[in-house]
Amino acid sequence: MKQMTPAAVERAMKLQDVMLRAMAKRITWYQAAEILGISGRQMLRWQTRFKHEGYEGLFDRRRGAPSPRRVPLATVEEVLRLYQEEYFDFNVRHFHEKLVAEHDLKLSYTWVKLALQGAGLVKPRRQRGKHRKRRPRRALPGMLLHIDGSQHRWFCDDRWHDLIVIMDDATSEVYYAPIGGRRIDWHSHGRPARSD
């Protein structure tokens, strides 16, 4: 049996998302045909195939490979209906828990999330950015200066003071650090000492 090509899977996934939106009545079937760039008659054939065969019908039969998603169409329609009519204010995690506990629908969380996103009922979450790697320090003093500020009770009384620090990236030397208008002498251990 042939492996599905990435292009065939992508095509089927696009079809699936548009079909789900039409099933959820977010768009009309005519609009779905326009989005896919097919005629109304061809869309009717896809709609009929989708109703009879579910996701299997969306994959090109010439490939001879099964769909990776084998969920009956009635189940898909039931999930979309439940979300729209009863659980529209639930997040995907809680909706999935209700499907399993109260409706005895044993579907994976990922499948439910993708179905709701495909139907346009739930917005996809933004991808997290890559974890930042610690960059090396600058090679020479003065190449990069950091300016940072914080508010704190620096002098062990009830008053709050702002600390603004200018520090060299290469050496960690503090060039400037006044607190509340007072000039501070910084020692190597990092605690401020007043110089009034």
Side-chain angles (χ1 to χ4, degrees):
M1 188 176 289
K2 288 183 182 177
Q3 183 72 23
M4 292 292 292
T5 65
V9 172
E10 187 176 336
R11 177 176 171 274
M13 295 301 287
K14 182 181 178 184
L15 270 169
Q16 167 197 304
D17 287 351
V18 173
M19 294 283 195
L20 286 170
R21 284 176 186 263
M23 287 171 60
K25 297 179 175 54
R26 306 282 287 186
I27 59 173
T28 65
W29 287 103
Y30 177 76
Q31 289 170 324
E34 280 189 339
I35 291 168
L36 294 171
I38 59 177
S39 67
R41 179 177 287 183
Q42 191 175 355
M43 179 44 116
L44 185 61
R45 284 197 297 269
W46 278 110
Q47 184 183 357
T48 304
R49 191 191 292 184
F50 191 52
K51 283 183 178 176
H52 287 80
E53 302 175 34
Y55 290 114
E56 293 288 329
L58 298 181
F59 283 79
D60 193 340
R61 290 182 174 141
R62 293 169 297 174
R63 299 283 175 194
S67 165
R69 298 167 183 262
R70 297 183 181 184
V71 176
L73 184 64
T75 304
V76 177
E77 290 174 334
E78 179 69 3
V79 167
L80 297 178
R81 184 194 67 75
L82 284 168
Y83 186 80
Q84 287 180 292
E85 294 177 7
E86 297 181 34
Y87 301 106
F88 56 88
D89 56 346
F90 279 45
N91 65 28
V92 178
R93 176 72 60 196
H94 292 137
F95 175 59
H96 177 256
E97 290 170 1
K98 288 288 184 184
L99 287 178
V100 173
E102 295 186 15
H103 300 280
D104 199 34
L105 291 172
K106 306 287 193 254
L107 300 166
S108 73
Y109 167 77
T110 303
W111 184 92
V112 172
K113 180 180 73 171
L114 291 175
L116 294 177
Q117 288 176 352
L121 299 174
V122 172
K123 289 183 180 178
R125 288 180 65 184
R126 280 177 41 202
Q127 293 287 336
R128 290 183 180 176
K130 291 183 179 177
H131 183 70
R132 291 188 311 183
K133 291 184 179 177
R134 195 174 185 89
R135 65 164 180 78
R137 287 179 175 238
R138 296 290 190 226
L140 297 172
M143 288 180 73
L144 177 63
L145 300 179
H146 297 285
I147 301 175
D148 196 7
S150 64
Q151 193 175 59
H152 190 68
R153 293 178 179 162
W154 292 102
F155 300 113
C156 301
D157 56 22
D158 291 337
R159 295 173 299 164
W160 289 84
H161 297 280
D162 293 318
L163 169 64
I164 307 295
V165 175
I166 299 178
M167 186 174 76
D168 192 287
D169 183 70
T171 63
S172 296
E173 183 180 346
V174 175
Y175 292 135
Y176 181 78
I179 297 180
R182 299 178 181 150
R183 181 77 182 173
I184 301 299
D185 292 328
W186 286 83
H187 302 291
S188 59
H189 50 72
R191 288 188 176 171
R194 275 191 275 190
S195 58
D196 295 329

